Amino acid sequence: MSSPKRTKIEQEDVLDLTLRPRTWDDYIGQDKIKQNVRIIIDAAKQRNEPSVEHILFYGNPGLGKTTLARLVAEEIGVDFRVTSGPAIERAGDLAAILTNLSDGSVLFIDECHRLNRTVEEYLYPALEDFKLNLILGKGPMARTMELKVPRFTLIGATTRLAAVSGPLRSRFGAIFGLNFYDTNDIVKILARSARLLNVAISHEALDVLAKSSRYTPRVANHLLKRVRDFAQVQSQEGITAEITRYALDNLEIDPLGLGSNDRRILEALIDKFNGGPAGIQALAAATAEEEETILDVYEPYLMRLGFIARTPRGRIATRLGFEHLNKKTPRGAIL
Ligand code: ADE
């Protein structure tokens, strides 16, 4: 009898778990953040404090916010519980999560800019004094009940620091922004992942992949898996630069890592708005994309490449952006 087959999604999950760094040494890059976070933990340990200050990580998707939070919990030696802003719909959901924590646990709230404001109000006393003030009943019969919750450390993550409410932001003892990785670090991450996936890969292939990885570990690992599929189907022993280029070409990913959607955004800005300036709403409508996706996924990388820039009047395509799409650059376009 063969073992039950895993679905594609479950296989991906298993792979992601396999590739996730398990120790600080495995976690490549973001050196300043690692150093500062470890000081916070060591200092709290030296003072014998039962929990560490609440920490907020912000940065683009796929840069390793969850992984960092997991490492913090591991370093302190406590439980790691995961939830997300939109998953906590009502105060009751929050109460269920908090009362089920153990002492010292790390509670990770992803997308914490999407917590609803009522839930946030309940969260504040829990963050400050480890208590919840629940309201039982309605109208004149309503009573408040104070409920103690275990001491815990909140680690929040967000792709949009500016969208986290002021009161919530001020409850974090430390706030760290994750940056895009440099290409050398992406090469190291890819080399480690290839080792874990047990697949040989040439130096040149690592280089080609790294340049298409949007300076983002999650993208790098996904591309590595896709390229491995191509190599396997073509019965190649390992991953060469040639098969990597062939795979990226088939996936419509260009040598700088732009996919068809990124190009569509840049193209719309150039063709439909004459290079801009265009507001985010107009750009979203013209490309049938969600504003949020443009803000979180496409725009940061296009800006990192210097293909678009933000001005007070909206986004504009730069000379580099025009050139990348082989469009005639208008006079006066900025570099
Ligand atoms: N996977 C995701 N983020 C990583 C990192 N910073 N180092 C190594 N592997 C990673």
Side-chain angles (χ1 to χ4, degrees):
M1 277 276 286
S2 62
S3 58
K5 276 217 164 119
R6 287 205 173 95
T7 64
K8 183 88 183 155
I9 296 214
E10 281 167 342
Q11 284 172 13
E12 291 275 325
D13 279 351
V14 170
L15 280 183
D16 281 340
L17 284 179
T18 329
L19 299 185
R20 181 166 284 162
R22 309 227 156 248
T23 65
W24 292 107
D25 286 341
D26 284 346
Y27 193 100
I28 292 156
Q30 314 291 353
D31 294 339
K32 265 263 100 50
I33 298 179
K34 279 200 293 192
Q35 199 183 327
N36 286 324
V37 166
R38 294 182 77 175
I39 287 176
I40 292 176
I41 299 172
D42 288 348
K45 275 185 182 166
Q46 277 177 13
R47 291 191 298 262
N48 282 323
E49 283 174 1
S51 62
V52 174
E53 280 195 277
H54 308 303
I55 301 174
L56 177 63
F57 293 126
Y58 69 91
N60 293 313
L63 293 181
K65 299 183 287 293
T66 313
T67 307
L68 263 181
R70 218 176 258 285
L71 287 176
V72 170
E74 235 155 77
E75 172 96 18
I76 315 175
V78 293
D79 264 4
F80 184 67
R81 299 286 177 82
V82 182
T83 184
S84 79
I88 312 175
E89 288 178 13
R90 286 163 298 124
D93 301 333
L94 181 69
I97 292 169
L98 294 182
T99 50
N100 275 307
L101 295 173
S102 5
D103 241 1
S105 298
V106 167
L107 172 66
F108 179 70
I109 305 187
D110 203 2
E111 298 192 71
C112 68
H113 62 281
R114 293 177 62 192
L115 275 169
N116 84 44
R117 295 295 131 107
T118 318
V119 169
E120 270 190 22
E121 292 293 334
Y122 281 96
L123 183 58
Y124 301 147
L127 292 175
E128 286 170 348
D129 305 318
F130 305 100
K131 61 184 196 206
L132 270 173
N133 296 314
L134 292 179
I135 300 167
L136 305 175
K138 280 200 173 118
M141 296 297 288
R143 302 258 178 288
T144 49
M145 184 179 82
E146 188 177 294
L147 201 62
K148 281 195 103 35
V149 299
R151 277 192 83 95
F152 68 101
T153 295
L154 173 67
I155 301 188
T158 179
T159 48
R160 282 244 222 99
L161 183 61
V164 178
S165 73
L168 179 57
R169 221 185 309 168
S170 70
R171 263 96 181 167
F172 290 101
I175 300 182
F176 298 107
L178 280 77
N179 293 317
F180 280 125
Y181 291 64
D182 63 36
T183 308
N184 280 340
D185 283 344
I186 296 289
V187 165
K188 285 186 204 154
I189 290 169
L190 282 166
R192 170 180 176 270
S193 299
R195 251 192 336 271
L196 291 172
L197 295 174
N198 224 350
V199 56
I201 181 164
S202 75
H203 286 294
E204 201 188 343
L206 281 175
D207 230 44
V208 174
L209 261 185
K211 291 205 171 89
S212 290
S213 294
R214 311 170 76 96
Y215 311 111
T216 304
R218 184 187 294 156
V219 176
N221 285 335
H222 280 166
L223 286 183
L224 176 66
K225 288 181 223 159
R226 293 292 74 77
V227 175
R228 178 182 72 153
D229 291 346
F230 274 82
Q232 183 189 318
V233 168
Q234 299 199 356
S235 308
Q236 306 235 350
E237 278 290 305
I239 298 176
T240 60
E242 194 188 358
I243 189 90
T244 304
R245 289 200 187 91
Y246 175 79
L248 291 176
D249 210 39
N250 273 276
L251 296 167
E252 296 186 64
I253 294 169
D254 74 17
L256 290 182
L258 295 187
S260 48
N261 283 334
D262 304 283
R263 285 192 295 270
R264 214 160 45 77
I265 306 278
L266 184 57
E267 206 156 46
L269 191 55
I270 290 176
D271 291 344
K272 296 191 180 157
F273 298 96
N274 254 328
I280 184 68
Q281 284 178 334
L283 196 56
T287 52
E289 282 287 351
E290 305 229 343
E291 279 174 41
E292 213 156 275
T293 319
I294 297 184
L295 286 171
D296 283 359
V297 183
Y298 303 124
E299 186 171 88
Y301 186 59
L302 287 167
M303 290 209 304
R304 174 66 173 73
L305 290 175
F307 289 177
I308 66 176
R310 272 197 201 164
T311 71
R313 290 168 52 219
R315 283 86 186 141
I316 55 166
T318 63
R319 178 183 298 273
L320 284 175
F322 276 90
E323 284 170 4
H324 187 72
L325 293 186
N326 294 320
K327 305 267 185 191
K328 190 166 174 312
T329 315
R331 281 200 299 153
I334 68 156
L335 259 187

